[in-house]
Amino acid sequence: MPLVPTASILADARAAGTGAAAFNVIHLETAEALVAAADQTGRPLILQISENCVRYHGSLLPITRATLALAEAAGTEVSVHLDHITDPELIRQGVAAGVGSVMIDASTLPYTQNVATTARLTAWCHDREVFVEAELGEVGGKDGVHAPGVRTDPGEALEFVAATGVDALAVAVGSSHAMRERTAKLDLELIGRLREKLPVPLVLHGSSGVPDEELRAAITAGMTKINISTHLVSVFTRGVRKVLEAEPALIDSRKYVAPARDAVRSEAARLLQILGGEGPERETTPGEAP
């Protein structure tokens, strides 16, 4: 199937009231697993390549071209998105390579600089028909906008969208990056107000820390794009560890990477169904195999 624009995946999900899954690529094996999950379920998928991923691989083009090739060969709708990009040169390289969307991350800058930087790069992307996501302030992790008690103000968010022209906005509603336990409690009332106020799709970062039922509730309240990385990374690592603990003398990396890839495929397929409003499959916790 030809590569699908991220914009169309989000528009369809927003219209249907379902979640658009956005799962992060770490290396080729995870990209393969994620596309296999999309094919298995028939659900659309956004493959995300972060700036951290680019640093790990040493440059943007090899992992991006491989991911684009997998997306183009998929049997269902798959797009490729650059996630949390702070370096404008990486945006230029990714757009030239063929990605359909980027997240411009100027969130650590003072507000006026964030607006100016995001607006300038958004205009450049729009000239090339590339969809743009951004965030009003830092989506924390340890600190930042997603620290406990910090929330996106709907009025400020509307001003930011109008000033920058972005097509989607990551908002702070109670989740946090890199959570290893799925215990986050989201502000569903705020999600509803943001959905009513903003003309663009809402993006939930840090969704690895959000339980299944809370994800369903967030989508019902108005969230559209659901970013998941750490949870699936944990599934992959557990798969590798399980094989090596059982066979410590194993040296052929394919013998332990393949089962880990299969584990990610299985859990990604389950999450795709959850976000798409399908069956109540059993939730996977960090301490068990999927």
Side-chain angles (χ1 to χ4, degrees):
M1 176 175 288
L3 197 64
V4 176
T6 300
S8 67
I9 292 178
L10 291 183
D12 290 347
R14 198 171 192 233
T18 58
F23 298 159
N24 278 62
V25 171
I26 306 300
H27 34 56
L28 182 60
E29 287 79 11
T30 51
E32 291 170 339
L34 297 175
V35 171
D39 282 346
Q40 176 183 325
T41 60
R43 296 289 311 166
L45 174 63
I46 301 165
L47 293 172
Q48 303 197 136
I49 299 171
S50 72
E51 195 160 306
N52 286 336
C53 177
V54 171
R55 288 196 196 101
Y56 168 75
H57 288 281
S59 63
L60 180 139
L61 288 179
I63 188 63
T64 301
R65 285 174 173 162
T67 302
L68 285 164
L70 287 166
E72 289 167 355
T76 189
E77 296 183 340
V78 178
S79 73
V80 179
H81 171 82
L82 296 185
D83 185 39
H84 281 288
I85 304 298
T86 64
D87 182 354
E89 178 57 28
L90 293 181
I91 294 174
R92 287 189 282 270
Q93 290 177 18
V95 170
V99 301
S101 57
V102 302
M103 187 219 166
I104 297 167
D105 189 353
S107 62
T108 60
L109 299 175
Y111 178 78
T112 55
Q113 289 179 252
N114 183 356
V115 169
T117 299
T118 303
R120 183 181 73 254
L121 292 173
T122 297
W124 186 90
C125 288
H126 283 173
D127 285 344
R128 291 152 183 82
E129 299 184 344
V130 171
F131 184 95
V132 176
E133 173 189 336
E135 65 188 27
L136 179 57
E138 189 177 58
V139 180
K142 295 179 181 177
D143 300 301
V145 149
H146 278 203
V150 181
R151 299 290 184 268
T152 297
D153 177 83
E156 289 182 349
L158 181 60
E159 290 176 4
F160 183 83
V161 169
T164 59
V166 298
D167 305 298
L169 189 69
V171 293
V173 293
S175 60
S176 180
H177 284 136
M179 288 185 67
R180 297 187 181 186
E181 295 183 357
R182 304 185 74 193
T183 57
K185 185 71 175 174
L186 302 180
D187 189 334
L188 300 176
E189 188 271 337
L190 175 57
I191 294 173
R193 288 195 289 126
L194 288 163
R195 173 65 176 86
E196 184 176 326
K197 190 86 169 176
L198 299 180
V200 298
L202 304 179
V203 183
L204 184 65
H205 285 221
S207 305
S208 289
V210 183
D212 288 351
E213 288 306 316
E214 197 78 355
L215 288 174
R216 287 192 180 101
I219 293 164
T220 298
M223 199 63 69
T224 299
K225 181 170 177 277
I226 310 297
N227 290 14
I228 297 178
S229 179
T230 300
H231 177 63
L232 292 170
V233 171
S234 298
V235 169
F236 187 92
T237 302
R238 289 199 306 273
V240 171
R241 185 173 289 123
K242 180 179 179 180
V243 174
L244 291 179
E245 286 175 348
E247 300 182 65
L250 195 61
I251 61 170
D252 185 345
S253 61
R254 292 170 296 183
K255 298 290 181 65
Y256 53 82
V257 168
R261 182 178 57 190
D262 288 344
V264 171
R265 176 196 51 75
S266 178
E267 178 63 358
R270 192 190 70 82
L271 289 169
L272 281 164
Q273 293 176 314
I274 293 294
L275 300 181
E278 300 173 16
E281 298 269 339
R282 186 174 66 87
E283 182 172 348
T284 300
T285 61
E288 65 179 357

